Short mmCIF file of all heavy atoms in Angstrom, two decimals:
data_model
loop_
_atom_site.label_atom_id
_atom_site.label_comp_id
_atom_site.label_asym_id
_atom_site.label_seq_id
_atom_site.Cartn_x
_atom_site.Cartn_y
_atom_site.Cartn_z
N ASP U 66 109.60 112.17 100.10
CA ASP U 66 108.60 111.09 99.87
C ASP U 66 107.45 111.53 99.06
O ASP U 66 106.60 112.27 99.63
CB ASP U 66 108.27 110.52 101.22
CG ASP U 66 107.33 109.38 101.16
OD1 ASP U 66 107.02 108.82 100.01
OD2 ASP U 66 106.76 108.91 102.16
N ALA U 67 107.46 111.17 97.81
CA ALA U 67 106.29 111.56 96.92
C ALA U 67 105.18 110.68 96.72
O ALA U 67 104.17 110.75 96.00
CB ALA U 67 106.85 111.95 95.56
N SER U 68 105.16 109.52 97.65
CA SER U 68 104.24 108.41 97.58
C SER U 68 102.81 108.93 97.81
O SER U 68 101.88 108.34 97.26
CB SER U 68 104.61 107.40 98.63
OG SER U 68 104.63 107.85 99.87
N ALA U 69 102.65 109.89 98.42
CA ALA U 69 101.26 110.54 98.94
C ALA U 69 100.91 111.71 97.94
O ALA U 69 99.81 112.24 98.00
CB ALA U 69 101.06 110.89 100.31
N PHE U 70 101.83 111.99 97.05
CA PHE U 70 101.46 113.24 96.20
C PHE U 70 100.27 112.84 95.22
O PHE U 70 100.15 111.72 94.75
CB PHE U 70 102.61 113.54 95.38
CG PHE U 70 103.72 114.28 96.11
CD1 PHE U 70 103.72 114.34 97.44
CD2 PHE U 70 104.83 114.82 95.44
CE1 PHE U 70 104.68 114.96 98.22
CE2 PHE U 70 105.83 115.55 96.12
CZ PHE U 70 105.88 115.54 97.51
N LYS U 71 99.48 113.79 94.89
CA LYS U 71 98.41 113.69 93.92
C LYS U 71 98.68 114.88 92.93
O LYS U 71 98.50 116.03 93.45
CB LYS U 71 97.09 113.76 94.48
CG LYS U 71 96.67 112.53 95.31
CD LYS U 71 95.18 112.58 95.76
CE LYS U 71 94.71 111.21 96.43
NZ LYS U 71 95.41 111.05 97.71
N MET U 72 98.89 114.63 91.66
CA MET U 72 99.18 115.58 90.76
C MET U 72 98.07 115.70 89.71
O MET U 72 97.60 114.77 89.18
CB MET U 72 100.56 115.44 90.10
CG MET U 72 100.86 116.41 88.95
SD MET U 72 102.52 116.37 88.31
CE MET U 72 103.40 116.98 89.69
N VAL U 73 97.58 117.01 89.49
CA VAL U 73 96.53 117.16 88.58
C VAL U 73 96.98 118.03 87.40
O VAL U 73 97.42 119.23 87.70
CB VAL U 73 95.27 117.89 89.27
CG1 VAL U 73 94.19 118.16 88.23
CG2 VAL U 73 94.77 117.02 90.37
N LEU U 74 96.84 117.53 86.23
CA LEU U 74 97.28 118.36 84.99
C LEU U 74 96.06 118.35 84.16
O LEU U 74 95.54 117.36 83.80
CB LEU U 74 98.40 117.51 84.24
CG LEU U 74 99.84 117.38 85.02
CD1 LEU U 74 100.68 116.55 84.17
CD2 LEU U 74 100.40 118.73 85.30
N VAL U 75 95.68 119.64 83.90
CA VAL U 75 94.54 119.84 83.12
C VAL U 75 94.82 120.72 81.87
O VAL U 75 95.52 121.73 81.95
CB VAL U 75 93.41 120.57 83.92
CG1 VAL U 75 92.10 120.79 83.11
CG2 VAL U 75 93.02 119.78 85.09
N GLY U 76 94.40 120.28 80.72
CA GLY U 76 94.64 121.06 79.50
C GLY U 76 94.57 120.17 78.32
O GLY U 76 94.41 118.89 78.30
N ASN U 77 94.80 120.91 77.14
CA ASN U 77 94.84 120.28 75.85
C ASN U 77 96.23 119.80 75.57
O ASN U 77 96.97 120.35 74.91
CB ASN U 77 94.36 121.28 74.68
CG ASN U 77 94.23 120.58 73.41
OD1 ASN U 77 94.17 119.30 73.30
ND2 ASN U 77 94.12 121.48 72.39
N VAL U 78 96.50 118.47 76.00
CA VAL U 78 97.76 118.01 75.78
C VAL U 78 97.70 116.60 75.20
O VAL U 78 96.68 115.94 75.18
CB VAL U 78 98.47 117.72 77.22
CG1 VAL U 78 98.62 119.01 78.03
CG2 VAL U 78 97.53 116.80 78.16
N SER U 79 98.76 116.27 74.65
CA SER U 79 98.99 115.01 73.99
C SER U 79 99.52 113.95 74.93
O SER U 79 100.65 114.16 75.46
CB SER U 79 99.90 115.05 72.71
OG SER U 79 100.33 113.77 72.29
N MET U 80 98.79 112.87 75.14
CA MET U 80 99.24 111.96 76.28
C MET U 80 100.50 111.24 75.62
O MET U 80 101.45 110.86 76.47
CB MET U 80 98.18 110.83 76.44
CG MET U 80 97.04 111.31 77.22
SD MET U 80 97.53 112.11 78.78
CE MET U 80 98.25 110.74 79.64
N GLU U 81 100.66 111.16 74.33
CA GLU U 81 101.91 110.60 73.88
C GLU U 81 103.18 111.31 74.16
O GLU U 81 104.24 110.94 74.49
CB GLU U 81 101.84 110.35 72.33
CG GLU U 81 100.83 109.33 71.98
CD GLU U 81 100.74 109.05 70.38
OE1 GLU U 81 101.61 109.75 69.71
OE2 GLU U 81 99.95 108.30 69.87
N LYS U 82 102.93 112.77 74.16
CA LYS U 82 104.12 113.64 74.52
C LYS U 82 104.20 113.81 75.93
O LYS U 82 105.37 114.01 76.44
CB LYS U 82 103.85 114.99 73.83
CG LYS U 82 103.88 114.85 72.30
CD LYS U 82 103.63 116.37 71.68
CE LYS U 82 103.69 116.29 70.17
NZ LYS U 82 103.52 117.61 69.60
N LEU U 83 103.17 113.75 76.65
CA LEU U 83 103.06 114.02 78.14
C LEU U 83 103.75 112.84 78.86
O LEU U 83 104.42 112.87 79.87
CB LEU U 83 101.70 114.39 78.66
CG LEU U 83 101.59 114.55 80.10
CD1 LEU U 83 102.42 115.82 80.59
CD2 LEU U 83 100.13 114.80 80.56
N ARG U 84 103.33 111.61 78.58
CA ARG U 84 103.78 110.38 79.27
C ARG U 84 105.21 110.33 79.48
O ARG U 84 105.63 110.09 80.59
CB ARG U 84 103.26 109.08 78.63
CG ARG U 84 103.49 107.91 79.51
CD ARG U 84 102.92 106.70 78.78
NE ARG U 84 103.24 105.53 79.53
CZ ARG U 84 102.61 105.08 80.61
NH1 ARG U 84 101.69 105.84 81.12
NH2 ARG U 84 103.06 103.97 81.35
N PRO U 85 106.16 110.50 78.48
CA PRO U 85 107.57 110.50 78.78
C PRO U 85 108.08 111.44 79.75
O PRO U 85 108.99 111.16 80.55
CB PRO U 85 108.12 110.64 77.28
CG PRO U 85 107.10 110.32 76.42
CD PRO U 85 105.78 110.68 76.99
N LEU U 86 107.42 112.62 79.72
CA LEU U 86 107.76 113.67 80.61
C LEU U 86 107.44 113.34 82.15
O LEU U 86 108.12 113.56 82.94
CB LEU U 86 107.14 114.96 80.33
CG LEU U 86 107.56 115.53 78.82
CD1 LEU U 86 106.78 116.87 78.55
CD2 LEU U 86 109.10 115.89 78.88
N LEU U 87 106.23 112.76 82.20
CA LEU U 87 105.78 112.24 83.55
C LEU U 87 106.69 111.20 84.04
O LEU U 87 107.12 111.15 85.36
CB LEU U 87 104.30 111.83 83.46
CG LEU U 87 103.19 112.75 83.23
CD1 LEU U 87 101.89 112.17 83.06
CD2 LEU U 87 103.25 113.89 84.21
N CYS U 88 107.01 110.28 83.19
CA CYS U 88 107.93 109.13 83.62
C CYS U 88 109.35 109.80 84.07
O CYS U 88 109.92 109.18 84.94
CB CYS U 88 108.09 108.15 82.46
SG CYS U 88 106.67 107.20 82.09
N LYS U 89 109.78 110.74 83.36
CA LYS U 89 111.12 111.25 83.62
C LYS U 89 111.21 112.21 84.92
O LYS U 89 112.11 112.05 85.69
CB LYS U 89 111.69 112.04 82.49
CG LYS U 89 113.12 112.60 82.50
CD LYS U 89 113.45 113.24 81.26
CE LYS U 89 114.85 113.74 81.44
NZ LYS U 89 115.35 114.45 80.08
N TYR U 90 110.15 113.03 85.02
CA TYR U 90 110.30 113.94 86.05
C TYR U 90 109.34 113.75 87.29
O TYR U 90 109.62 114.20 88.34
CB TYR U 90 109.93 115.38 85.48
CG TYR U 90 110.91 115.97 84.41
CD1 TYR U 90 110.50 115.90 83.20
CD2 TYR U 90 112.13 116.29 84.84
CE1 TYR U 90 111.40 116.32 82.12
CE2 TYR U 90 113.03 116.81 83.89
CZ TYR U 90 112.68 116.79 82.48
OH TYR U 90 113.61 117.13 81.58
N ILE U 91 108.28 113.10 87.09
CA ILE U 91 107.40 112.83 88.22
C ILE U 91 107.55 111.40 88.82
O ILE U 91 107.65 111.17 90.04
CB ILE U 91 105.85 112.93 87.71
CG1 ILE U 91 105.68 114.42 87.18
CG2 ILE U 91 105.05 112.79 89.07
CD1 ILE U 91 106.11 115.47 88.08
N ALA U 92 107.57 110.43 87.98
CA ALA U 92 107.62 108.92 88.40
C ALA U 92 108.97 108.76 89.17
O ALA U 92 109.04 107.74 89.98
CB ALA U 92 107.48 108.06 87.29
N THR U 93 109.99 109.50 88.90
CA THR U 93 111.30 109.26 89.38
C THR U 93 111.50 109.90 90.78
O THR U 93 112.62 109.69 91.44
CB THR U 93 112.38 109.75 88.45
OG1 THR U 93 112.18 111.17 88.14
CG2 THR U 93 112.40 108.89 87.21
N LEU U 94 110.46 110.58 91.32
CA LEU U 94 110.66 111.31 92.57
C LEU U 94 110.70 110.14 93.62
O LEU U 94 110.09 109.16 93.57
CB LEU U 94 109.39 112.18 92.79
CG LEU U 94 109.35 113.43 91.98
CD1 LEU U 94 108.05 114.15 92.32
CD2 LEU U 94 110.54 114.36 92.28
N PRO U 95 111.43 110.43 94.66
CA PRO U 95 111.64 109.33 95.65
C PRO U 95 110.37 109.06 96.44
O PRO U 95 109.52 109.98 96.65
CB PRO U 95 112.66 109.95 96.64
CG PRO U 95 112.56 111.43 96.42
CD PRO U 95 112.23 111.65 95.03
N SER U 96 110.14 107.79 96.71
CA SER U 96 108.92 107.35 97.41
C SER U 96 109.36 106.37 98.60
O SER U 96 109.84 105.40 98.24
CB SER U 96 107.83 106.73 96.56
OG SER U 96 107.42 107.60 95.52
N LYS U 97 108.87 106.69 99.71
CA LYS U 97 109.27 105.87 100.95
C LYS U 97 108.06 105.10 101.32
O LYS U 97 108.12 104.31 102.15
CB LYS U 97 109.80 106.64 102.06
CG LYS U 97 111.14 107.45 101.72
CD LYS U 97 111.53 108.32 102.89
CE LYS U 97 112.78 109.08 102.56
NZ LYS U 97 113.20 110.00 103.69
N TRP U 98 106.81 105.51 100.87
CA TRP U 98 105.59 104.93 101.29
C TRP U 98 105.41 104.98 102.89
O TRP U 98 104.87 104.10 103.50
CB TRP U 98 105.37 103.56 100.69
CG TRP U 98 105.54 103.45 99.30
CD1 TRP U 98 106.58 103.16 98.53
CD2 TRP U 98 104.37 103.80 98.37
NE1 TRP U 98 106.26 103.25 97.27
CE2 TRP U 98 104.90 103.61 97.11
CE3 TRP U 98 103.12 104.16 98.59
CZ2 TRP U 98 104.12 103.87 95.97
CZ3 TRP U 98 102.27 104.36 97.40
CH2 TRP U 98 102.78 104.33 96.19
#
Side-chain angles (χ1 to χ4, degrees):
D66 182 8
S68 58
F70 285 13
K71 290 183 174 68
M72 177 170 288
V73 178
L74 297 174
V75 180
N77 184 16
V78 297
S79 165
M80 288 305 299
E81 291 183 3
K82 294 180 179 179
L83 179 62
R84 184 177 177 81
L86 298 175
L87 293 176
C88 292
K89 182 177 181 179
Y90 295 107
I91 304 302
T93 55
L94 291 174
S96 295
K97 300 178 181 178
W98 298 100

